[in-house]
Amino acid sequence: MKIVSFYRFTAVSDPAKLQADFQPLCEEHGFLGTVLIAEEGVNGTLTGGEKELQSIFRWLEKELARSSFVIVRTHKSDKYDRYLADIFYLPGNNDPDTVTARGRYLNQEILDHGMAKVWGE
């Protein structure tokens, strides 16, 4: 079992419909966790099998296709086995290889703009 946290700021025109579509998929795969869906985007933490989590993220990305492409790269987990993620994006580009190679590093931008602080390095 893996734990993943995720978010995506994007316009969601009908949060109730997205939730109604998303909930059965989570139940079908036996995920545990919390997912908040609002007009401003999606934010959540889920636990489940790695293959199933990848499947749900592909579905969610398809549902939010009108948003800019986002790459979430995980490279290790913390002491609670939660993935630590680096998030890259490149406005106007939908090629995963280009976004991975030349994308903007959202984590650092959040820190640079004072929207988060480094905690307990």
Side-chain angles (χ1 to χ4, degrees), residues 16 28 39 49 81-83 91 94 99 106:
E28 176 183 322
E39 291 178 354
D81 203 28
R82 295 177 297 196
Y83 281 119
N94 288 330
V99 174
L106 181 62

Side-chain angles (χ1 to χ4, degrees), residues 71-76 83-88 99-101 105:
I71 297 285
V72 178
R73 183 173 29 188
T74 60
H75 49 89
K76 62 181 179 178
Y83 281 119
L84 302 177
D86 296 329
I87 301 171
F88 297 88
V99 174
T100 300
Y105 184 38

Side-chain angles (χ1 to χ4, degrees), residues 19 21 26 41 57 69-70 82 88 90 118:
Q19 179 183 0
D21 293 341
C26 290
F57 284 126
F69 196 87
V70 173
R82 295 177 297 196
F88 297 88
L90 191 58
V118 176

Side-chain angles (χ1 to χ4, degrees), residues 29-95:
H29 291 295
F31 294 136
L32 299 175
T34 301
V35 179
L36 304 174
I37 301 174
E39 291 178 354
E40 298 84 6
V42 179
N43 185 350
T45 302
L46 291 174
T47 185
E50 188 168 346
K51 182 178 171 185
E52 291 80 8
L53 287 168
Q54 289 174 0
S55 166
I56 200 75
F57 284 126
R58 281 192 300 273
W59 178 87
L60 190 56
E61 201 162 289
K62 181 179 153 196
E63 289 295 308
L64 301 174
R66 66 183 177 277
S67 301
S68 298
F69 196 87
V70 173
I71 297 285
V72 178
R73 183 173 29 188
T74 60
H75 49 89
K76 62 181 179 178
S77 56
D78 67 8
K79 67 181 183 179
Y80 302 107
D81 203 28
R82 295 177 297 196
Y83 281 119
L84 302 177
D86 296 329
I87 301 171
F88 297 88
Y89 72 105
L90 191 58
N93 191 304
N94 288 330
D95 176 51

